[in-house]
Amino acid sequence: MEHCWENAKFDFRSIPTNCSNCGSENIRYTSNAEIYHGKQYGNGYCYLCDDCGASVGVHNTKSKIPLGRFATKEMKILKMQCHAKFDPLWKKYNFKRTDCYGYLANKLGLMLRETHFGWFDIEYLNKSLEILENIDFNDIWKYIKNREKGDEK
């Protein structure tokens, strides 16, 4: 199954050994209360870079696998902006979540499996936001119909 990842631009499925933001090896696994002013969120843990302050949450405390790349404050704001535009597509407008991510992956030239806002760098967060701010529902329907026919153009 690893072969399906060999051409991926983004892949954050491993425990980090350095910060994906600044490259520092000065990272640690810690309570996310450190970055949220004493309050824990989610499962309560994250990786934190002591050099640049970027952080990333984890899927669970047993595996300690990160949710994505280390994110700066600017990246966290961009991710929230992307989700504010993206989430209504599947929550309010009744598109399937996977179809929405597929559409975005197609527009970005990425594989579906690597299309997660938490994995994106600033460049791809900005590209995503631009796509989402100019989204045309007919384009999503066309993407879905073409995909169902086996043609993702």
Side-chain angles (χ1 to χ4, degrees):
M1 190 67 175
E2 285 299 309
H3 67 282
C4 70
W5 286 92
E6 61 191 34
N7 294 321
K9 179 168 179 61
F10 301 111
D11 184 359
F12 294 96
R13 297 173 297 139
S14 302
I15 292 176
T17 56
N18 64 332
C19 175
S20 55
N21 181 59
C22 72
S24 171
E25 293 179 5
N26 195 13
I27 60 171
R28 59 194 163 90
Y29 182 72
T30 187
S31 167
N32 64 18
E34 254 189 88
I35 58 174
Y36 296 123
H37 312 290
K39 185 167 167 92
Q40 283 189 316
Y41 289 94
N43 61 34
Y45 287 87
C46 68
Y47 290 97
L48 177 63
C49 177
D50 286 324
D51 288 340
C52 73
S55 63
V56 60
V58 296
H59 282 281
N60 61 61
T61 57
K62 185 176 180 183
S63 74
K64 299 181 183 177
I65 301 296
L67 290 167
R69 71 170 49 245
F70 281 80
T72 62
K73 190 174 232 178
E74 177 186 8
M75 291 170 74
K76 290 176 184 181
I77 290 167
L78 281 169
K79 287 193 286 187
M80 288 188 282
Q81 291 173 332
C82 285
H83 273 292
K85 298 285 186 183
F86 181 84
D87 292 350
L89 296 173
W90 60 273
K91 288 181 176 179
K92 182 178 176 184
Y93 297 108
N94 241 9
F95 289 108
K96 291 180 183 171
R97 190 172 181 216
T98 303
D99 287 337
C100 295
Y101 273 113
Y103 171 79
L104 186 59
N106 184 268
K107 295 293 268 183
L108 292 168
L110 299 173
M111 294 179 284
L112 176 61
R113 70 179 63 86
E114 63 180 330
T115 304
H116 304 282
F117 297 121
W119 288 19
F120 289 171
D121 56 19
I122 287 179
E123 176 188 358
Y124 275 81
L125 287 168
N126 279 317
K127 285 180 180 181
S128 296
L129 190 56
E130 183 178 341
I131 290 165
L132 294 166
E133 286 177 338
N134 296 294
I135 203 152
D136 180 340
F137 294 112
N138 289 322
D139 285 346
I140 297 175
W141 283 118
K142 286 177 195 169
Y143 164 79
I144 293 168
K145 295 300 175 200
N146 287 337
R147 194 201 70 237
E148 288 170 353
K149 290 189 238 174
D151 175 25
E152 289 200 27
K153 299 275 188 258

